[in-house]
Amino acid sequence: VAGTIKDKAGNPISGVSVSDGTRSDVTNEAGKYTITNVPPSSVTLTPTKTGIAFDPATVDVTVPPASTGNDFTAYTEFRRRFGMGLQLVAVPATPPTSSNRAVDIFGTAAVARWDASSSPQAYVFGQTSPNSSQLQVRPGAAYFVNFPRPAVTNVRIPGDPVGEVGTFSVGVSTGWNMVGNPWEVALPMGNIAGAGSTQLRPYGFIYDPSVGSYRMVTRAAAFNSARTYIEAWEGAWLRAIGADGSLMMSAPGTVASAMLVGADADIAAPDNGWLIDIVARVANRADLTTVAGVGSGDAALGYRVDNPPMIPGSVDVYFTDGSARLAHDIRPQSSTTMVWPFAVQTDIANAEVEVALPDLSAVPADMAVYLTDLDSGKRMYARTLTAYTFTSGADGALRHFELEVSPRGAENLAIRTASVQSAAGGMMVTYDLSSAASVSIEVLNIAGRSVRSLVQARSMPAGSNEQLWDTRNAEGTLVPNGSYLIRIEAVAENGQRVQALRPAQIAR
């Protein structure tokens, strides 16, 4: 069994071990090998040499008769270890055309790539279209890959590297494109620009498998930015505007650019501004990139950012501003009611979807915050709302919401007056509600420990209400003389919660 091994330019490669599983030979200076004394059988020839990969990776041979011309082409070998689960991947090499299918290179059919040139734009999936040109691996392209068990997949790719100097061109269509870093070192966002009439937004999105969500990357520091570069072997969503055309990437070694990360890449909201994160979760996926708020600024600082296409098998939150879908919608400061319509979408069937506003501390205290599920008509006071959940259907879900921030007014629940006075039979608790609510009243000792619950989640009307405490504890025993606290808590139907705390002095 014999053959020759050369590189793509036709240069012979010596020192390659070729084995049929039992016997082997090493290529000479002419790149030739011969394995002798092969018994009648079918064998698989496998070439190996450190740092080199081959096309084809193996050749099957049956003898007799003697078999010659079992040739291989040698390429640089690119290796990468990937953990289990979904990742947004790029390849820093040009594989041979006979070995460039993504489903083969990544070892799974769970591969997807956005076809920005189709109408309408949509994903192409490895399960249904493994031979699509969109799923032929090439530098500058990115792919969603859901790596299977075991916990680590070792990817070995034969290919030609991209030059380490100069520029690299990537064709794009108007809109969102899945673009990959074509080098084996980090690529600053500042090294990527549109060519000709094609322009590029100053931000993009990577996928963070540790949290199951997109993260924003930007050319320079911007709020909500994870960093200012794309890692080696990493892909990103980039949005082209203007005409279809190409992006030009400058090799990382040719352009000086700061590699900011974490807090160093972060920029605060403007003075007197505030932000509200809207977070959605389903299964092990999340959308952590959606931000509403007030302030002044532009897209370069992250104040108005287009929303990228949804991750397959995930959840997406986006503001609905006419025909645009936004991930960030930061508006000028206003003293009137402000409303942000947004949607929550998932393609995961029959799953619980959680929507939360995890931190409202920056919103001024004189402003009320409401979350309304437009499809169910339920309006909730958000400052006391931990999370809102709904269940998707057989085809997933598309749910419409409104985030409302408005000056506190008469419609806001309040305990307008509250007092505790001695009365026949004990102490009388009097309180006035601005609107009907569910009321709980509890007696606490001076250390804040519960002594007795007088009322638990009882519906009470608007106006003045009373509740007698007979000065006994939960066991029915008269409490000792001393100081106590009466806590009154009222909860409106929309979830708004208010409290009042009043002292009570027992002296018999």
Side-chain angles (χ1 to χ4, degrees):
V1 176
T4 303
I5 299 181
K6 298 180 180 180
D7 64 17
K8 193 173 68 169
N11 302 307
I13 306 297
S14 62
V16 178
S17 175
V18 183
S19 171
D20 69 356
T22 303
R23 292 152 294 275
S24 65
D25 189 29
V26 177
T27 56
N28 59 22
E29 291 184 358
K32 296 183 179 298
Y33 70 91
T34 301
I35 302 175
T36 59
N37 300 319
V38 180
S41 61
S42 294
V43 296
T44 298
L45 303 178
T46 304
T48 56
K49 185 175 182 178
T50 301
I52 296 179
F54 301 90
D55 182 43
T58 61
V59 170
D60 293 327
V61 175
T62 300
V63 293
S67 178
T68 60
N70 299 297
D71 300 338
F72 298 87
T73 302
Y75 290 86
T76 301
E77 181 181 60
F78 295 82
R79 290 190 176 200
R80 189 75 168 187
R81 290 162 59 90
F82 292 97
M84 180 182 65
L86 188 69
Q87 300 194 47
L88 184 51
V89 177
V91 172
T94 303
T97 55
S98 60
S99 305
N100 67 357
R101 294 201 320 167
V103 295
D104 299 325
I105 285 176
F106 299 121
T108 176
V111 179
R113 186 163 195 274
W114 186 255
D115 185 357
S117 63
S118 66
S119 183
Q121 297 179 341
Y123 283 106
V124 177
F125 294 96
Q127 291 95 334
T128 54
S129 304
N131 297 316
S132 168
S133 60
Q134 291 294 328
L135 297 181
Q136 293 173 1
V137 172
R138 58 191 182 275
Y143 312 84
F144 272 118
V145 184
N146 198 357
F147 288 100
R149 295 181 183 273
V152 173
T153 296
N154 290 298
V155 173
R156 299 177 59 195
I157 304 172
D160 295 319
V162 174
E164 296 181 1
V165 296
T167 59
F168 182 81
S169 176
V170 177
V172 293
S173 297
T174 302
W176 286 104
N177 295 263
M178 291 175 69
V179 177
N181 179 356
W183 289 283
E184 289 193 281
V185 294
L187 174 65
M189 284 286 290
N191 288 30
I192 311 172
S197 58
T198 303
Q199 301 176 45
L200 183 66
R201 292 292 194 192
Y203 51 79
F205 289 88
I206 58 170
Y207 177 72
D208 184 349
S210 67
V211 293
S213 174
Y214 288 132
R215 295 291 197 188
M216 192 171 74
V217 291
T218 51
R219 291 182 187 171
F223 88 83
N224 210 32
S225 173
R227 45 181 154 88
T228 58
Y229 60 91
I230 304 171
E231 291 278 15
W233 289 80
E234 184 177 57
W237 285 102
L238 300 180
R239 183 171 176 81
I241 56 177
D244 295 352
S246 60
L247 304 181
M248 300 303 296
M249 300 182 180
S250 300
T254 64
V255 177
S257 181
M259 291 295 183
L260 303 181
V261 64
D264 292 334
D266 202 42
I267 189 169
D271 293 341
N272 302 317
W274 45 262
L275 306 173
I276 298 176
D277 292 315
I278 303 176
V279 174
R281 299 181 187 275
V282 58
N284 62 342
R285 300 279 192 266
D287 187 337
L288 308 177
T289 63
T290 310
V291 183
V294 299
S296 59
D298 57 27
L301 295 178
Y303 293 100
R304 187 175 175 87
V305 172
D306 297 301
N307 192 68
M310 187 174 73
I311 303 165
S314 187
V315 63
D316 190 22
V317 183
Y318 55 88
F319 297 106
T320 52
D321 183 9
S323 61
R325 294 185 176 188
L326 301 177
H328 293 179
D329 187 0
I330 313 302
R331 304 176 181 178
Q333 184 73 262
S334 173
S335 60
T336 60
T337 297
M338 302 182 70
V339 177
W340 286 264
F342 69 93
V344 177
Q345 184 175 6
T346 181
D347 56 353
I348 300 178
N350 306 316
E352 185 176 84
V353 183
E354 178 185 283
V355 183
L357 310 176
D359 185 4
L360 297 174
S361 61
V363 182
D366 60 353
M367 303 293 282
V369 184
Y370 297 96
L371 178 67
T372 302
D373 181 343
L374 297 177
D375 294 329
S376 69
K378 187 172 183 179
R379 186 171 185 256
M380 297 153 283
Y381 184 72
R383 286 193 185 271
T384 54
L385 178 69
T386 303
Y388 176 71
T389 61
F390 64 91
T391 302
S392 65
D395 298 321
L398 175 59
R399 201 84 161 207
H400 301 87
F401 292 85
E402 280 185 350
L403 170 65
E404 175 188 330
V405 179
S406 58
R408 290 188 181 275
E411 78 280 3
N412 297 118
L413 176 63
I415 301 175
R416 291 183 290 212
T417 60
S419 63
V420 182
Q421 303 290 336
S422 296
M427 306 291 289
M428 184 64 70
V429 180
T430 304
Y431 58 96
D432 187 90
L433 296 176
S434 62
S435 58
S438 174
V439 173
S440 298
I441 303 176
E442 189 171 19
V443 180
L444 309 174
N445 64 20
I446 200 65
R449 297 186 181 91
S450 178
V451 173
R452 182 178 175 187
S453 175
L454 303 180
V455 175
Q456 187 66 39
R458 180 185 300 171
S459 295
M460 302 299 293
S464 182
N465 294 276
E466 295 181 335
Q467 177 63 44
L468 180 67
W469 174 35
D470 59 7
T471 70
R472 296 179 182 272
N473 62 21
E475 288 73 37
T477 304
L478 287 171
V479 300
N481 289 344
S483 298
Y484 295 85
L485 297 170
I486 307 297
R487 181 169 63 197
I488 308 165
E489 182 178 78
V491 181
E493 184 179 358
N494 64 15
Q496 186 177 1
R497 186 183 304 267
V498 294
Q499 286 188 358
L501 200 63
R502 295 293 182 268
Q505 190 70 33
I506 305 298
R508 298 185 185 89

